[in-house]
Amino acid sequence: ISCRYTRLCHDDNRCRIYQAQEGQSFLARLYGNSLPSLVASLYDSRAIGKAELQELRDYLDHLEEDARA
């Protein structure tokens, strides 16, 4: 079986908007808009590990630094 990925969206800006909307919808539907619940679910199911959690911490730290600037 051969699977090929075909990009459905060719406009990067439209893709970002679509992904943001779908991400918000996903978070609302499955996790009641709770990002901690999503992360806990992924961690508990071993879909993410300590390295990914550290990456998330680093990203959140970066966002906080940008917000202060």
Side-chain angles (χ1 to χ4, degrees):
I1 297 174
S2 175
C3 296
R4 282 194 183 157
Y5 170 76
T6 302
R7 189 171 180 179
L8 298 176
C9 182
H10 299 286
D11 179 336
D12 286 340
N13 189 46
R14 284 186 181 181
C15 287
R16 279 191 283 279
I17 292 169
Y18 174 77
Q19 288 173 332
Q21 290 171 339
E22 286 300 308
Q24 289 170 352
S25 176
F26 170 81
L27 189 61
R29 281 189 330 255
L30 274 73
Y31 296 96
N33 282 324
S34 173
L35 186 57
S37 292
L38 168 61
V39 173
S41 175
L42 292 172
Y43 186 77
D44 291 346
S45 67
R46 292 182 168 72
I48 61 172
K50 291 181 181 183
E52 290 83 7
L53 289 178
Q54 185 59 52
E55 186 177 347
L56 179 57
R57 280 188 197 96
D58 294 344
Y59 179 69
L60 294 174
D61 289 345
H62 174 73
L63 291 177
E64 286 182 349
E65 290 172 11
D66 283 354
R68 288 185 213 140

Short mmCIF file of all heavy atoms in Angstrom, two decimals:
data_model
loop_
_atom_site.label_atom_id
_atom_site.label_comp_id
_atom_site.label_asym_id
_atom_site.label_seq_id
_atom_site.Cartn_x
_atom_site.Cartn_y
_atom_site.Cartn_z
N ILE A 1 0.86 -1.18 0.00
CA ILE A 1 0.00 0.00 0.00
C ILE A 1 0.89 1.23 0.00
O ILE A 1 1.79 1.35 0.81
CB ILE A 1 -0.92 0.01 1.22
CG1 ILE A 1 -1.87 -1.17 1.18
CG2 ILE A 1 -1.68 1.32 1.29
CD1 ILE A 1 -2.73 -1.32 2.40
N SER A 2 0.61 2.11 -0.90
CA SER A 2 1.36 3.35 -0.99
C SER A 2 0.45 4.51 -0.63
O SER A 2 -0.65 4.64 -1.14
CB SER A 2 1.88 3.53 -2.42
OG SER A 2 2.51 4.78 -2.55
N CYS A 3 0.92 5.33 0.30
CA CYS A 3 0.15 6.51 0.71
C CYS A 3 0.94 7.75 0.32
O CYS A 3 2.14 7.82 0.52
CB CYS A 3 -0.08 6.52 2.21
SG CYS A 3 -1.10 5.16 2.77
N ARG A 4 0.23 8.71 -0.22
CA ARG A 4 0.86 9.98 -0.58
C ARG A 4 0.14 11.09 0.12
O ARG A 4 -1.08 11.10 0.20
CB ARG A 4 0.78 10.22 -2.08
CG ARG A 4 1.76 9.45 -2.87
CD ARG A 4 1.83 10.01 -4.26
NE ARG A 4 2.75 9.19 -5.02
CZ ARG A 4 2.73 9.10 -6.31
NH1 ARG A 4 1.84 9.76 -7.01
NH2 ARG A 4 3.59 8.34 -6.94
N TYR A 5 0.93 12.02 0.61
CA TYR A 5 0.37 13.21 1.23
C TYR A 5 0.19 14.26 0.15
O TYR A 5 1.13 14.60 -0.55
CB TYR A 5 1.30 13.72 2.33
CG TYR A 5 0.91 15.07 2.86
CD1 TYR A 5 -0.15 15.21 3.73
CD2 TYR A 5 1.61 16.21 2.48
CE1 TYR A 5 -0.52 16.44 4.22
CE2 TYR A 5 1.24 17.44 2.95
CZ TYR A 5 0.18 17.57 3.82
OH TYR A 5 -0.19 18.79 4.30
N THR A 6 -1.01 14.76 0.02
CA THR A 6 -1.28 15.85 -0.92
C THR A 6 -1.75 17.04 -0.12
O THR A 6 -2.73 16.96 0.61
CB THR A 6 -2.38 15.46 -1.93
OG1 THR A 6 -1.94 14.29 -2.62
CG2 THR A 6 -2.65 16.57 -2.92
N ARG A 7 -1.03 18.11 -0.25
CA ARG A 7 -1.39 19.32 0.47
C ARG A 7 -2.69 19.87 -0.10
O ARG A 7 -2.80 20.13 -1.28
CB ARG A 7 -0.26 20.34 0.34
CG ARG A 7 -0.46 21.52 1.22
CD ARG A 7 0.77 22.37 1.21
NE ARG A 7 0.55 23.52 2.06
CZ ARG A 7 1.43 24.43 2.28
NH1 ARG A 7 2.62 24.34 1.71
NH2 ARG A 7 1.16 25.44 3.06
N LEU A 8 -3.67 20.04 0.79
CA LEU A 8 -4.97 20.52 0.35
C LEU A 8 -5.01 22.04 0.25
O LEU A 8 -5.85 22.60 -0.44
CB LEU A 8 -6.06 20.04 1.32
CG LEU A 8 -6.21 18.53 1.42
CD1 LEU A 8 -7.25 18.18 2.47
CD2 LEU A 8 -6.60 17.95 0.08
N CYS A 9 -4.12 22.68 0.94
CA CYS A 9 -4.11 24.14 0.97
C CYS A 9 -2.77 24.62 0.41
O CYS A 9 -1.72 24.23 0.90
CB CYS A 9 -4.30 24.62 2.41
SG CYS A 9 -4.37 26.39 2.57
N HIS A 10 -2.83 25.48 -0.59
CA HIS A 10 -1.60 25.94 -1.23
C HIS A 10 -1.24 27.37 -0.86
O HIS A 10 -0.16 27.84 -1.18
CB HIS A 10 -1.71 25.80 -2.75
CG HIS A 10 -1.93 24.39 -3.18
ND1 HIS A 10 -0.94 23.44 -3.16
CD2 HIS A 10 -3.04 23.74 -3.59
CE1 HIS A 10 -1.41 22.29 -3.57
NE2 HIS A 10 -2.69 22.43 -3.83
N ASP A 11 -2.13 28.07 -0.17
CA ASP A 11 -1.88 29.44 0.28
C ASP A 11 -1.52 29.38 1.76
O ASP A 11 -2.35 29.04 2.59
CB ASP A 11 -3.16 30.27 0.05
CG ASP A 11 -3.03 31.70 0.52
OD1 ASP A 11 -2.20 31.99 1.40
OD2 ASP A 11 -3.79 32.55 0.00
N ASP A 12 -0.25 29.71 2.09
CA ASP A 12 0.21 29.56 3.47
C ASP A 12 -0.62 30.35 4.47
O ASP A 12 -0.89 29.87 5.57
CB ASP A 12 1.68 29.96 3.59
CG ASP A 12 2.61 28.92 2.99
OD1 ASP A 12 2.19 27.75 2.85
OD2 ASP A 12 3.76 29.27 2.67
N ASN A 13 -1.03 31.55 4.11
CA ASN A 13 -1.84 32.35 5.02
C ASN A 13 -3.19 31.69 5.27
O ASN A 13 -3.66 31.60 6.40
CB ASN A 13 -2.03 33.78 4.49
CG ASN A 13 -2.67 34.68 5.52
OD1 ASN A 13 -2.28 34.68 6.68
ND2 ASN A 13 -3.66 35.44 5.09
N ARG A 14 -3.82 31.22 4.21
CA ARG A 14 -5.10 30.52 4.37
C ARG A 14 -4.93 29.24 5.18
O ARG A 14 -5.80 28.88 5.96
CB ARG A 14 -5.71 30.20 3.01
CG ARG A 14 -6.33 31.38 2.35
CD ARG A 14 -7.05 30.98 1.11
NE ARG A 14 -7.63 32.13 0.47
CZ ARG A 14 -8.33 32.10 -0.63
NH1 ARG A 14 -8.56 30.93 -1.22
NH2 ARG A 14 -8.83 33.19 -1.16
N CYS A 15 -3.81 28.55 4.99
CA CYS A 15 -3.55 27.33 5.75
C CYS A 15 -3.44 27.65 7.24
O CYS A 15 -4.00 26.93 8.07
CB CYS A 15 -2.26 26.67 5.29
SG CYS A 15 -2.39 25.87 3.69
N ARG A 16 -2.72 28.72 7.58
CA ARG A 16 -2.58 29.09 8.99
C ARG A 16 -3.93 29.43 9.60
O ARG A 16 -4.23 29.02 10.73
CB ARG A 16 -1.61 30.26 9.14
CG ARG A 16 -0.16 29.84 9.09
CD ARG A 16 0.75 30.98 9.50
NE ARG A 16 0.93 31.96 8.45
CZ ARG A 16 1.77 31.85 7.44
NH1 ARG A 16 2.51 30.77 7.33
NH2 ARG A 16 1.87 32.79 6.54
N ILE A 17 -4.75 30.17 8.87
CA ILE A 17 -6.08 30.53 9.36
C ILE A 17 -6.91 29.27 9.56
O ILE A 17 -7.56 29.09 10.59
CB ILE A 17 -6.77 31.52 8.40
CG1 ILE A 17 -6.04 32.87 8.43
CG2 ILE A 17 -8.24 31.70 8.76
CD1 ILE A 17 -6.47 33.82 7.33
N TYR A 18 -6.89 28.39 8.58
CA TYR A 18 -7.65 27.13 8.66
C TYR A 18 -7.18 26.30 9.84
O TYR A 18 -7.98 25.78 10.63
CB TYR A 18 -7.51 26.35 7.35
CG TYR A 18 -8.13 24.98 7.41
CD1 TYR A 18 -9.51 24.82 7.31
CD2 TYR A 18 -7.35 23.86 7.58
CE1 TYR A 18 -10.08 23.56 7.38
CE2 TYR A 18 -7.92 22.60 7.65
CZ TYR A 18 -9.28 22.46 7.55
OH TYR A 18 -9.84 21.21 7.63
N GLN A 19 -5.86 26.16 9.99
CA GLN A 19 -5.33 25.35 11.08
C GLN A 19 -5.70 25.95 12.43
O GLN A 19 -6.03 25.21 13.37
CB GLN A 19 -3.81 25.22 10.96
CG GLN A 19 -3.39 24.33 9.82
CD GLN A 19 -1.90 24.35 9.59
OE1 GLN A 19 -1.22 25.32 9.89
NE2 GLN A 19 -1.38 23.25 9.05
N ALA A 20 -5.67 27.27 12.54
CA ALA A 20 -6.04 27.92 13.80
C ALA A 20 -7.51 27.66 14.12
O ALA A 20 -7.86 27.33 15.26
CB ALA A 20 -5.78 29.42 13.71
N GLN A 21 -8.37 27.78 13.13
CA GLN A 21 -9.80 27.54 13.35
C GLN A 21 -10.06 26.09 13.72
O GLN A 21 -10.83 25.80 14.64
CB GLN A 21 -10.60 27.92 12.10
CG GLN A 21 -10.64 29.40 11.85
CD GLN A 21 -11.24 29.75 10.49
OE1 GLN A 21 -11.29 28.93 9.58
NE2 GLN A 21 -11.68 30.99 10.35
N GLU A 22 -9.44 25.18 13.01
CA GLU A 22 -9.63 23.76 13.30
C GLU A 22 -9.06 23.39 14.66
O GLU A 22 -9.64 22.59 15.40
CB GLU A 22 -9.01 22.89 12.21
CG GLU A 22 -9.81 22.88 10.93
CD GLU A 22 -11.23 22.37 11.13
OE1 GLU A 22 -11.41 21.27 11.68
OE2 GLU A 22 -12.17 23.08 10.73
N GLY A 23 -7.93 23.97 15.01
CA GLY A 23 -7.33 23.72 16.31
C GLY A 23 -8.23 24.19 17.44
O GLY A 23 -8.42 23.49 18.44
N GLN A 24 -8.82 25.36 17.28
CA GLN A 24 -9.73 25.89 18.30
C GLN A 24 -10.97 25.01 18.41
O GLN A 24 -11.44 24.71 19.51
CB GLN A 24 -10.13 27.32 17.97
CG GLN A 24 -9.00 28.31 18.15
CD GLN A 24 -9.33 29.69 17.60
OE1 GLN A 24 -10.33 29.90 16.94
NE2 GLN A 24 -8.45 30.63 17.87
N SER A 25 -11.49 24.58 17.28
CA SER A 25 -12.67 23.73 17.27
C SER A 25 -12.37 22.38 17.94
O SER A 25 -13.15 21.88 18.74
CB SER A 25 -13.14 23.52 15.82
OG SER A 25 -14.22 22.62 15.78
N PHE A 26 -11.24 21.81 17.62
CA PHE A 26 -10.81 20.53 18.20
C PHE A 26 -10.68 20.65 19.72
O PHE A 26 -11.20 19.82 20.47
CB PHE A 26 -9.46 20.13 17.58
CG PHE A 26 -8.79 18.97 18.26
CD1 PHE A 26 -9.17 17.68 17.97
CD2 PHE A 26 -7.77 19.18 19.16
CE1 PHE A 26 -8.54 16.60 18.59
CE2 PHE A 26 -7.14 18.11 19.78
CZ PHE A 26 -7.53 16.83 19.49
N LEU A 27 -10.00 21.70 20.17
CA LEU A 27 -9.80 21.91 21.60
C LEU A 27 -11.13 22.10 22.32
O LEU A 27 -11.36 21.53 23.38
CB LEU A 27 -8.88 23.11 21.83
CG LEU A 27 -8.40 23.33 23.26
CD1 LEU A 27 -7.58 22.14 23.74
CD2 LEU A 27 -7.59 24.61 23.34
N ALA A 28 -12.03 22.85 21.71
CA ALA A 28 -13.35 23.09 22.31
C ALA A 28 -14.17 21.81 22.37
O ALA A 28 -14.76 21.49 23.42
CB ALA A 28 -14.10 24.17 21.52
N ARG A 29 -14.22 21.07 21.28
CA ARG A 29 -15.06 19.87 21.21
C ARG A 29 -14.58 18.76 22.12
O ARG A 29 -15.36 18.13 22.83
CB ARG A 29 -15.09 19.33 19.77
CG ARG A 29 -16.00 20.04 18.83
CD ARG A 29 -16.12 19.28 17.50
NE ARG A 29 -14.93 18.52 17.15
CZ ARG A 29 -14.04 18.87 16.22
NH1 ARG A 29 -14.21 19.93 15.51
NH2 ARG A 29 -12.98 18.12 15.98
N LEU A 30 -13.29 18.49 22.09
CA LEU A 30 -12.79 17.32 22.81
C LEU A 30 -12.31 17.61 24.23
O LEU A 30 -12.32 16.71 25.07
CB LEU A 30 -11.64 16.68 22.02
CG LEU A 30 -12.08 15.69 20.96
CD1 LEU A 30 -12.69 16.39 19.77
CD2 LEU A 30 -10.95 14.82 20.54
N TYR A 31 -11.91 18.84 24.50
CA TYR A 31 -11.30 19.13 25.80
C TYR A 31 -11.90 20.35 26.50
O TYR A 31 -11.31 20.87 27.44
CB TYR A 31 -9.78 19.30 25.64
CG TYR A 31 -9.14 18.02 25.18
CD1 TYR A 31 -8.88 17.81 23.82
CD2 TYR A 31 -8.86 17.00 26.07
CE1 TYR A 31 -8.34 16.60 23.39
CE2 TYR A 31 -8.32 15.80 25.65
CZ TYR A 31 -8.05 15.61 24.31
OH TYR A 31 -7.52 14.43 23.88
N GLY A 32 -13.07 20.80 26.04
CA GLY A 32 -13.74 21.92 26.70
C GLY A 32 -12.88 23.17 26.77
O GLY A 32 -12.90 23.89 27.76
N ASN A 33 -12.10 23.41 25.73
CA ASN A 33 -11.18 24.55 25.65
C ASN A 33 -10.07 24.52 26.69
O ASN A 33 -9.49 25.54 27.02
CB ASN A 33 -11.93 25.88 25.73
CG ASN A 33 -12.58 26.24 24.43
OD1 ASN A 33 -12.05 25.98 23.35
ND2 ASN A 33 -13.76 26.82 24.51
N SER A 34 -9.78 23.35 27.23
CA SER A 34 -8.75 23.22 28.26
C SER A 34 -7.46 22.66 27.66
O SER A 34 -7.35 21.45 27.40
CB SER A 34 -9.23 22.30 29.38
OG SER A 34 -8.17 22.05 30.29
N LEU A 35 -6.50 23.53 27.45
CA LEU A 35 -5.21 23.08 26.94
C LEU A 35 -4.51 22.14 27.92
O LEU A 35 -3.94 21.12 27.51
CB LEU A 35 -4.32 24.28 26.60
CG LEU A 35 -3.00 23.97 25.93
CD1 LEU A 35 -3.19 23.17 24.65
CD2 LEU A 35 -2.24 25.25 25.66
N PRO A 36 -4.56 22.40 29.24
CA PRO A 36 -3.96 21.44 30.17
C PRO A 36 -4.58 20.04 30.07
O PRO A 36 -3.87 19.04 30.19
CB PRO A 36 -4.21 22.07 31.55
CG PRO A 36 -4.29 23.54 31.28
CD PRO A 36 -4.98 23.64 29.94
N SER A 37 -5.89 19.96 29.82
CA SER A 37 -6.52 18.65 29.66
C SER A 37 -6.00 17.94 28.42
O SER A 37 -5.78 16.73 28.45
CB SER A 37 -8.04 18.80 29.57
OG SER A 37 -8.57 19.23 30.79
N LEU A 38 -5.81 18.67 27.34
CA LEU A 38 -5.25 18.09 26.12
C LEU A 38 -3.84 17.56 26.38
O LEU A 38 -3.52 16.42 26.04
CB LEU A 38 -5.23 19.11 24.99
CG LEU A 38 -4.43 18.74 23.74
CD1 LEU A 38 -4.98 17.49 23.08
CD2 LEU A 38 -4.39 19.90 22.77
N VAL A 39 -3.00 18.38 27.00
CA VAL A 39 -1.62 17.97 27.26
C VAL A 39 -1.58 16.77 28.20
O VAL A 39 -0.83 15.81 27.97
CB VAL A 39 -0.80 19.15 27.82
CG1 VAL A 39 0.59 18.70 28.26
CG2 VAL A 39 -0.68 20.26 26.78
N ALA A 40 -2.42 16.78 29.24
CA ALA A 40 -2.48 15.65 30.17
C ALA A 40 -2.90 14.38 29.45
O ALA A 40 -2.33 13.30 29.70
CB ALA A 40 -3.44 15.96 31.32
N SER A 41 -3.87 14.49 28.57
CA SER A 41 -4.33 13.32 27.82
C SER A 41 -3.21 12.76 26.94
O SER A 41 -3.00 11.54 26.88
CB SER A 41 -5.53 13.71 26.97
OG SER A 41 -5.93 12.64 26.15
N LEU A 42 -2.50 13.63 26.27
CA LEU A 42 -1.40 13.19 25.42
C LEU A 42 -0.29 12.56 26.24
O LEU A 42 0.29 11.53 25.86
CB LEU A 42 -0.86 14.37 24.60
CG LEU A 42 -1.81 14.92 23.54
CD1 LEU A 42 -1.24 16.21 22.95
CD2 LEU A 42 -2.08 13.90 22.45
N TYR A 43 0.02 13.16 27.38
CA TYR A 43 1.08 12.62 28.23
C TYR A 43 0.66 11.27 28.83
O TYR A 43 1.44 10.30 28.82
CB TYR A 43 1.44 13.61 29.33
CG TYR A 43 2.61 13.17 30.16
CD1 TYR A 43 3.91 13.29 29.66
CD2 TYR A 43 2.44 12.61 31.41
CE1 TYR A 43 5.01 12.87 30.40
CE2 TYR A 43 3.52 12.18 32.16
CZ TYR A 43 4.81 12.32 31.65
OH TYR A 43 5.88 11.89 32.38
N ASP A 44 -0.57 11.20 29.35
CA ASP A 44 -1.05 9.96 29.96
C ASP A 44 -1.09 8.80 28.97
O ASP A 44 -0.88 7.65 29.34
CB ASP A 44 -2.44 10.16 30.57
CG ASP A 44 -2.41 11.06 31.80
OD1 ASP A 44 -1.32 11.31 32.35
OD2 ASP A 44 -3.50 11.54 32.20
N SER A 45 -1.37 9.11 27.70
CA SER A 45 -1.42 8.05 26.69
C SER A 45 -0.05 7.79 26.06
O SER A 45 0.07 7.00 25.13
CB SER A 45 -2.42 8.43 25.59
OG SER A 45 -1.95 9.54 24.86
N ARG A 46 0.95 8.47 26.58
CA ARG A 46 2.33 8.34 26.10
C ARG A 46 2.51 8.80 24.65
O ARG A 46 3.43 8.37 23.96
CB ARG A 46 2.84 6.93 26.31
CG ARG A 46 3.01 6.55 27.75
CD ARG A 46 3.58 5.16 27.92
NE ARG A 46 4.02 4.85 29.25
CZ ARG A 46 3.24 4.63 30.31
NH1 ARG A 46 1.94 4.74 30.20
NH2 ARG A 46 3.75 4.33 31.49
N ALA A 47 1.62 9.67 24.20
CA ALA A 47 1.76 10.24 22.86
C ALA A 47 2.85 11.32 22.85
O ALA A 47 3.42 11.61 21.80
CB ALA A 47 0.43 10.82 22.38
N ILE A 48 3.09 11.91 24.02
CA ILE A 48 4.21 12.84 24.18
C ILE A 48 4.96 12.45 25.44
O ILE A 48 4.41 11.80 26.32
CB ILE A 48 3.75 14.33 24.27
CG1 ILE A 48 2.82 14.55 25.47
CG2 ILE A 48 3.10 14.77 22.98
CD1 ILE A 48 2.50 15.99 25.73
N GLY A 49 6.20 12.85 25.48
CA GLY A 49 7.03 12.51 26.63
C GLY A 49 7.65 13.74 27.26
O GLY A 49 7.26 14.88 26.98
N LYS A 50 8.63 13.49 28.09
CA LYS A 50 9.28 14.58 28.82
C LYS A 50 9.95 15.58 27.89
O LYS A 50 9.95 16.77 28.16
CB LYS A 50 10.27 14.02 29.83
CG LYS A 50 9.57 13.30 30.97
CD LYS A 50 10.56 12.77 31.99
CE LYS A 50 9.80 12.04 33.09
NZ LYS A 50 10.70 11.57 34.13
N ALA A 51 10.51 15.10 26.80
CA ALA A 51 11.18 16.01 25.86
C ALA A 51 10.19 16.98 25.24
O ALA A 51 10.47 18.18 25.12
CB ALA A 51 11.90 15.21 24.77
N GLU A 52 9.01 16.48 24.88
CA GLU A 52 7.99 17.35 24.29
C GLU A 52 7.44 18.32 25.32
O GLU A 52 7.14 19.47 25.00
CB GLU A 52 6.86 16.52 23.67
CG GLU A 52 7.24 15.77 22.42
CD GLU A 52 7.93 14.43 22.69
OE1 GLU A 52 8.01 14.00 23.86
OE2 GLU A 52 8.40 13.82 21.71
N LEU A 53 7.31 17.86 26.57
CA LEU A 53 6.87 18.77 27.63
C LEU A 53 7.88 19.89 27.83
O LEU A 53 7.51 21.05 28.03
CB LEU A 53 6.64 18.01 28.94
CG LEU A 53 5.44 17.09 28.98
CD1 LEU A 53 5.38 16.36 30.32
CD2 LEU A 53 4.15 17.85 28.73
N GLN A 54 9.15 19.57 27.77
CA GLN A 54 10.18 20.60 27.91
C GLN A 54 10.13 21.57 26.74
O GLN A 54 10.28 22.78 26.91
CB GLN A 54 11.58 19.98 28.02
CG GLN A 54 12.66 21.01 28.29
CD GLN A 54 12.43 21.78 29.58
OE1 GLN A 54 12.22 21.18 30.63
NE2 GLN A 54 12.45 23.09 29.51
N GLU A 55 9.90 21.05 25.56
CA GLU A 55 9.76 21.90 24.38
C GLU A 55 8.57 22.85 24.55
O GLU A 55 8.67 24.04 24.21
CB GLU A 55 9.57 21.04 23.14
CG GLU A 55 9.56 21.80 21.85
CD GLU A 55 9.45 20.89 20.63
OE1 GLU A 55 9.62 19.66 20.76
OE2 GLU A 55 9.17 21.43 19.56
N LEU A 56 7.49 22.35 25.10
CA LEU A 56 6.32 23.19 25.36
C LEU A 56 6.63 24.26 26.40
O LEU A 56 6.28 25.43 26.23
CB LEU A 56 5.14 22.33 25.81
CG LEU A 56 3.84 23.05 26.15
CD1 LEU A 56 3.34 23.87 24.96
CD2 LEU A 56 2.78 22.06 26.59
N ARG A 57 7.34 23.88 27.47
CA ARG A 57 7.75 24.86 28.49
C ARG A 57 8.61 25.96 27.86
O ARG A 57 8.42 27.15 28.14
CB ARG A 57 8.54 24.18 29.60
CG ARG A 57 7.73 23.48 30.60
CD ARG A 57 8.62 23.00 31.78
NE ARG A 57 7.90 22.01 32.53
CZ ARG A 57 8.02 20.69 32.37
NH1 ARG A 57 8.86 20.20 31.48
NH2 ARG A 57 7.31 19.87 33.09
N ASP A 58 9.56 25.55 27.05
CA ASP A 58 10.44 26.52 26.40
C ASP A 58 9.64 27.47 25.51
O ASP A 58 9.89 28.68 25.49
CB ASP A 58 11.52 25.82 25.57
CG ASP A 58 12.49 25.03 26.43
OD1 ASP A 58 12.54 25.24 27.66
OD2 ASP A 58 13.19 24.17 25.85
N TYR A 59 8.70 26.93 24.78
CA TYR A 59 7.87 27.75 23.90
C TYR A 59 7.03 28.75 24.71
O TYR A 59 6.95 29.93 24.37
CB TYR A 59 6.96 26.87 23.04
CG TYR A 59 6.06 27.65 22.13
CD1 TYR A 59 6.58 28.37 21.05
CD2 TYR A 59 4.69 27.69 22.36
CE1 TYR A 59 5.75 29.11 20.22
CE2 TYR A 59 3.86 28.43 21.53
CZ TYR A 59 4.39 29.13 20.46
OH TYR A 59 3.57 29.87 19.65
N LEU A 60 6.43 28.28 25.80
CA LEU A 60 5.63 29.17 26.64
C LEU A 60 6.49 30.25 27.27
O LEU A 60 6.07 31.41 27.36
CB LEU A 60 4.88 28.36 27.71
CG LEU A 60 3.82 27.41 27.18
CD1 LEU A 60 3.25 26.56 28.31
CD2 LEU A 60 2.71 28.16 26.46
N ASP A 61 7.70 29.90 27.69
CA ASP A 61 8.64 30.90 28.23
C ASP A 61 8.94 31.96 27.17
O ASP A 61 8.99 33.15 27.47
CB ASP A 61 9.93 30.24 28.70
CG ASP A 61 9.75 29.43 29.97
OD1 ASP A 61 8.71 29.60 30.66
OD2 ASP A 61 10.65 28.61 30.26
N HIS A 62 9.15 31.51 25.95
CA HIS A 62 9.43 32.42 24.85
C HIS A 62 8.25 33.38 24.63
O HIS A 62 8.43 34.58 24.43
CB HIS A 62 9.71 31.63 23.58
CG HIS A 62 9.87 32.46 22.35
ND1 HIS A 62 10.98 33.23 22.10
CD2 HIS A 62 9.04 32.65 21.31
CE1 HIS A 62 10.81 33.87 20.95
NE2 HIS A 62 9.64 33.52 20.46
N LEU A 63 7.02 32.85 24.67
CA LEU A 63 5.84 33.69 24.51
C LEU A 63 5.74 34.73 25.62
O LEU A 63 5.39 35.89 25.36
CB LEU A 63 4.56 32.84 24.48
CG LEU A 63 4.35 31.95 23.26
CD1 LEU A 63 3.07 31.13 23.44
CD2 LEU A 63 4.29 32.76 21.99
N GLU A 64 6.05 34.33 26.85
CA GLU A 64 6.01 35.27 27.97
C GLU A 64 7.05 36.36 27.81
O GLU A 64 6.78 37.53 28.09
CB GLU A 64 6.21 34.53 29.30
CG GLU A 64 5.01 33.74 29.74
CD GLU A 64 5.22 33.05 31.07
OE1 GLU A 64 6.37 33.01 31.56
OE2 GLU A 64 4.22 32.56 31.62
N GLU A 65 8.24 36.00 27.35
CA GLU A 65 9.29 36.99 27.13
C GLU A 65 8.86 37.99 26.07
O GLU A 65 9.08 39.20 26.22
CB GLU A 65 10.59 36.31 26.74
CG GLU A 65 11.24 35.54 27.86
CD GLU A 65 12.41 34.70 27.39
OE1 GLU A 65 12.87 34.86 26.23
OE2 GLU A 65 12.89 33.88 28.19
N ASP A 66 8.27 37.51 24.99
CA ASP A 66 7.79 38.39 23.92
C ASP A 66 6.69 39.31 24.42
O ASP A 66 6.62 40.48 24.03
CB ASP A 66 7.28 37.58 22.73
CG ASP A 66 8.40 37.02 21.88
OD1 ASP A 66 9.58 37.35 22.13
OD2 ASP A 66 8.10 36.24 20.97
N ALA A 67 5.83 38.81 25.29
CA ALA A 67 4.73 39.61 25.81
C ALA A 67 5.23 40.75 26.69
O ALA A 67 4.63 41.82 26.73
CB ALA A 67 3.75 38.74 26.58
N ARG A 68 6.35 40.51 27.38
CA ARG A 68 6.94 41.55 28.25
C ARG A 68 7.65 42.63 27.46
O ARG A 68 7.81 43.74 27.94
CB ARG A 68 7.91 40.92 29.23
CG ARG A 68 7.25 40.11 30.30
CD ARG A 68 8.26 39.63 31.31
NE ARG A 68 7.81 38.33 31.79
CZ ARG A 68 8.60 37.30 32.03
NH1 ARG A 68 9.88 37.40 31.83
NH2 ARG A 68 8.10 36.17 32.46
N ALA A 69 8.10 42.29 26.28
CA ALA A 69 8.91 43.24 25.47
C ALA A 69 8.05 44.32 24.85
O ALA A 69 6.90 44.32 24.74
CB ALA A 69 9.65 42.48 24.39
#
